[in-house]
Amino acid sequence: VVENATVPVIETGTGVCHLYVHESAQIDQALAILLNGKTQRPGVCNALETLLVDEKIAPHFMPLAIQALRQAGVEIRGCPNTRQFDSEIRLAVAPEGDAPLDNVVPDYGFEFLDLVIAVKIVGGLNSALTHIERFGTRHSEVICATDLSAITQFCTHVDAAVVYANASSRFTDGYEFGFGAEIGISTQKMHARGPMGLREMVTYKYLVDGSGQIR
């Protein structure tokens, strides 16, 4: 429908959601957001699928993240730099810049809908933005940071229905946003964008009661 429709379409599609842990992030907060986003309900479109970690905070964050994810039963698939923290981590298919292998589904840009997460160590905010632009599906993206300029840049440049600063992607939901019963998540920009409830799915009819007014 999205590819062939000749009228605007409200698209509620794939959710490849990223968490970017900036060098200024509070580690305990980032760990909580990571675990909630990945494990609270992994089979939904607002669950986290990819973890991006700034190389400057990786030595402090990654050992704790690996331990926490494993304790929660999450399989980790990481880039070569990720595997330096634990050689038992499975190498992620098609790291950024490489072409996917024939007949092999790439881990980056894939919606696992399961207790599996792709991890990549990135060289900074711009690298994270580039990765999200390439592999994201414009659903929900998250930054953990205390640096206001980094938060502002992330929220300004990421094109997604919902962009979070220091909060779980699991809140992307019509009911959670106060829109009534959940209908879907709109990931395009025409008419409705973001969480949708009943009011996003209806149109208006105006009834005008006059007494002879003219213009």
Side-chain angles (χ1 to χ4, degrees):
V1 172
V2 172
E3 292 177 355
N4 296 289
T6 58
V7 296
V9 175
I10 295 179
E11 176 186 358
T12 172
T14 303
V16 178
C17 306
H18 298 76
L19 165 62
Y20 168 52
V21 180
H22 185 257
E23 62 177 291
S24 69
Q26 294 182 11
I27 289 179
D28 289 346
Q29 186 180 83
L31 285 171
I33 290 172
L34 168 63
L35 288 177
N36 182 253
K38 180 68 263 185
T39 69
Q40 196 255 354
R41 194 178 170 197
V44 291
C45 60
N46 59 13
L48 290 176
E49 304 294 6
T50 300
L51 170 65
L52 304 174
V53 182
D54 192 294
E55 62 184 3
K56 293 182 179 178
I57 201 174
H60 309 288
F61 180 78
M62 283 306 304
L64 297 173
I66 292 169
Q67 180 182 17
L69 288 169
R70 283 213 172 117
Q71 288 178 347
V74 179
E75 178 188 345
I76 304 170
R77 302 178 186 178
C79 66
N81 288 335
T82 301
R83 296 186 72 247
Q84 290 182 3
F85 294 97
D86 190 324
S87 60
E88 294 183 3
I89 291 175
R90 172 175 163 178
L91 183 63
V93 175
E96 186 177 355
D98 295 344
L101 302 176
D102 291 340
N103 301 319
V104 177
V105 177
D107 292 311
Y108 299 121
F110 185 72
E111 188 179 31
F112 296 107
L113 301 175
D114 198 357
L115 290 174
V116 182
I117 193 166
V119 182
K120 184 174 179 61
I121 309 297
V122 295
L125 177 57
N126 288 333
S127 295
L129 292 173
T130 298
H131 185 100
I132 292 171
E133 174 64 24
R134 177 177 176 185
F135 294 107
T137 55
R138 295 178 170 85
H139 190 291
S140 300
E141 307 293 354
V142 185
I143 181 174
C144 281
T146 57
D147 184 328
L148 183 57
S149 64
I151 292 173
T152 300
Q153 185 177 350
F154 186 89
C155 292
T156 301
H157 286 83
V158 168
D159 180 18
V162 185
V163 183
Y164 294 92
N166 300 312
S168 173
S169 63
R170 288 286 291 117
F171 285 106
T172 304
D173 176 273
Y175 183 82
E176 292 290 336
F177 271 53
F179 298 157
E182 167 74 1
I183 288 179
I185 308 298
S186 173
T187 57
Q188 46 73 72
K189 294 182 178 180
M190 188 65 182
H191 171 58
R193 183 164 170 88
M196 293 188 299
L198 180 60
R199 73 183 188 186
E200 281 72 39
M201 299 295 288
V202 300
T203 59
Y204 295 97
K205 175 182 179 180
Y206 295 94
L207 301 178
V208 182
D209 186 14
S211 56
Q213 287 84 355
I214 62 173
R215 179 180 177 183

